[in-house]
Amino acid sequence: MSDKMTDAFNEQTRQFFEPMRKINSLMLDNMEKMTQYQLESMKRYSQMGTERMRSAGEVGDAESMRDFGTRQAEMMNELSRQMLDDARAMSEMSLEFKNQLEQLFAETGQQMTEQAEKAGASAKAAPAKASSQSSRGSKS
C-alpha cells in the first residue's frame, strides 16, 4: 500500500511540474534560436562594415572616390533590405513562439481540467465506498 501511495505521489508531482518543464524548454529553445539568428546578423553587418572600410582605404583618386560613393549607396540599400529582412524574421520567430506558448497553455489547461474531473469523480466514489463498508460492518 505504501508503494502505491508513493507511486501516486510521484506521479502527481511529475504531472504538477510537467507544464513548467515544457514552458522552460520552449523558452530556452526560442532564446537559443533568436540568439543564434542575432549573432549571424551581427556577423553579416560587421562584415559589411569591414568591407566598406577596406574599400575606403583603397580610394586613391577622384575616379575611385566616385566608384566608392556609388558602391556606398548600393551598400546602404543592401543594408536597409537586410535589416528589414532580419526584423521580419525576428517577428516571425516571435509569432511562432507565441503560437507554441498558447498551444502549450491550452494543452495544460485541458490536462488540468481532466485531472480535476478525475479527482472529483474519485472523491465522490470514495465516500460511497466507505459508507457501504461501514453499513456492512453494522449489520454483522
Side-chain angles (χ1 to χ4, degrees):
M1 174 135 161
S2 177
D3 288 340
K4 286 183 181 179
M5 287 178 59
T6 303
D7 290 344
F9 177 75
N10 288 339
E11 180 62 21
Q12 287 176 344
T13 303
R14 188 193 62 75
Q15 288 176 353
F16 177 75
F17 288 109
E18 184 66 15
M20 288 185 277
R21 187 196 64 75
K22 286 180 179 179
I23 289 171
N24 285 339
S25 177
L26 182 62
M27 291 179 83
L28 182 62
D29 289 346
N30 183 64
M31 187 170 39
E32 184 178 26
K33 189 184 341 178
M34 291 188 95
T35 301
Q36 185 64 35
Y37 190 85
Q38 288 173 336
L39 288 171
E40 290 170 5
S41 293
M42 184 62 90
K43 184 178 178 181
R44 279 193 306 269
Y45 297 141
S46 65
Q47 285 174 344
M48 285 177 154
T50 303
E51 288 172 11
R52 295 306 337 142
M53 291 174 72
R54 282 195 180 112
S55 294
E58 294 173 0
V59 171
D61 56 13
E63 187 176 327
S64 61
M65 181 64 174
R66 180 179 44 88
D67 292 343
F68 174 77
T70 303
R71 286 193 311 268
Q72 189 72 6
E74 292 170 359
M75 194 274 308
M76 291 305 288
N77 285 334
E78 181 183 342
L79 180 63
S80 295
R81 262 193 316 276
Q82 186 64 52
M83 290 179 85
L84 188 58
D85 290 345
D86 288 345
R88 190 175 297 119
M90 293 292 284
S91 178
E92 289 172 2
M93 281 190 259
S94 295
L95 189 58
E96 179 184 349
F97 174 67
K98 176 189 156 283
N99 291 338
Q100 290 173 339
L101 206 54
E102 286 176 346
Q103 181 182 0
L104 183 61
F105 280 134
E107 290 172 4
T108 301
Q110 181 65 32
Q111 288 173 352
M112 291 177 74
T113 302
E114 291 171 2
Q115 289 173 2
E117 288 172 354
K118 285 180 187 176
S122 50
K124 288 179 183 178
K129 199 177 200 180
S131 64
S132 69
Q133 287 175 354
S134 64
S135 64
R136 279 190 217 144
S138 62
K139 289 182 184 177
S140 302

